[in-house]
Amino acid sequence: MSELRGKQRKFADNYIKSGNATEAYVNAGYKVRSNETARANASRLLTNANVKAYIEKRLKQIESAKLATAQEILEYLTSVMRGEQTETVVTAKGLYKNVEVSAKDRITAAKELLKRYPVDPLYKMQLRKINAEADLTEARVKAMQGNNSTQEDKVAKMMGELQDAIRENTG
């Protein structure tokens, strides 16, 4: 990918800011006779491989810079749970700054942390059950894939086993 220069770069940067290709085309400094011409030329620029690659690259950079990492989220939740964060509270009596977070918010933060680090025995058992069911399903799929018989043979065999089980339970 070659680096964009001049108007193409201005177009791409303006497009990232506004999301409007026609507006970005005009703001980049291209001479425009009509709105339709600007729209058509902007559309053509968006299909240019270099412009497209530049926009995708910039969007990824912006996205990664704006998104919190898992570590940041966990640290924030921990600081809320420990009462290290403050907030601004607005009531009918006025605006109060640097108020400690409420017990309710601290409990919510603790619950969010526990979701990521489960210690509840019931939750652990549910998780084990889900994992066991997933393992069983995977084993069944592998067994069916490993068997070279046709799908009809498999269904016929399962129906036969089902009928045998019914006869055993009713007989």
Side-chain angles (χ1 to χ4, degrees):
M1 173 184 83
S2 64
E3 194 64 30
L4 297 182
R5 299 183 195 272
K7 291 180 184 177
Q8 282 187 340
R9 185 179 187 128
K10 285 181 184 177
F11 166 78
D13 289 337
N14 283 321
Y15 178 74
I16 291 168
K17 288 177 190 172
S18 70
N20 184 321
T22 306
E23 181 182 308
Y25 186 81
V26 173
N27 290 338
Y30 288 101
K31 293 182 181 178
V32 179
R33 294 183 188 194
S34 71
N35 202 34
E36 289 78 27
T37 304
R39 186 177 309 121
N41 289 339
S43 178
R44 198 172 303 119
L45 264 177
L46 286 175
T47 62
N48 177 301
N50 290 336
V51 172
K52 198 174 186 179
Y54 175 82
I55 290 171
E56 288 174 5
K57 178 182 168 189
R58 289 290 296 136
L59 286 175
K60 283 181 183 176
Q61 289 172 343
I62 291 167
E63 182 180 308
S64 66
K66 287 187 175 186
L67 291 178
T69 64
Q71 182 69 27
E72 287 174 306
I73 293 167
L74 293 174
E75 288 174 1
Y76 176 74
L77 287 171
T78 300
S79 69
V80 169
M81 184 201 69
R82 291 180 177 162
E84 297 168 354
Q85 295 292 321
T86 60
E87 61 186 347
T88 301
V89 177
V90 179
T91 68
K93 295 182 181 179
L95 179 78
Y96 300 94
K97 294 184 178 184
N98 297 322
V99 176
E100 279 190 28
V101 293
S102 68
K104 180 181 174 184
D105 291 336
R106 292 173 75 175
I107 290 169
T108 301
K111 286 180 180 178
E112 288 298 316
L113 285 166
L114 283 174
K115 286 180 187 175
R116 289 147 180 90
Y117 299 103
V119 292
D120 179 25
L122 178 61
Y123 182 80
K124 282 185 176 182
M125 287 182 354
Q126 290 171 337
L127 192 58
R128 280 183 53 208
K129 179 183 176 193
I130 291 168
N131 286 332
E133 288 171 351
D135 291 342
L136 183 59
T137 302
E138 284 182 20
R140 286 180 181 154
V141 168
K142 284 181 183 176
M144 289 182 78
Q145 289 173 342
N147 191 349
N148 290 332
S149 62
T150 66
Q151 192 71 19
E152 293 165 356
D153 293 339
K154 292 174 188 172
V155 171
K157 181 180 175 188
M158 287 173 44
M159 290 301 291
E161 290 173 358
L162 182 58
Q163 289 172 346
D164 292 343
I166 291 172
R167 275 189 224 112
E168 287 177 15
N169 288 331
T170 57

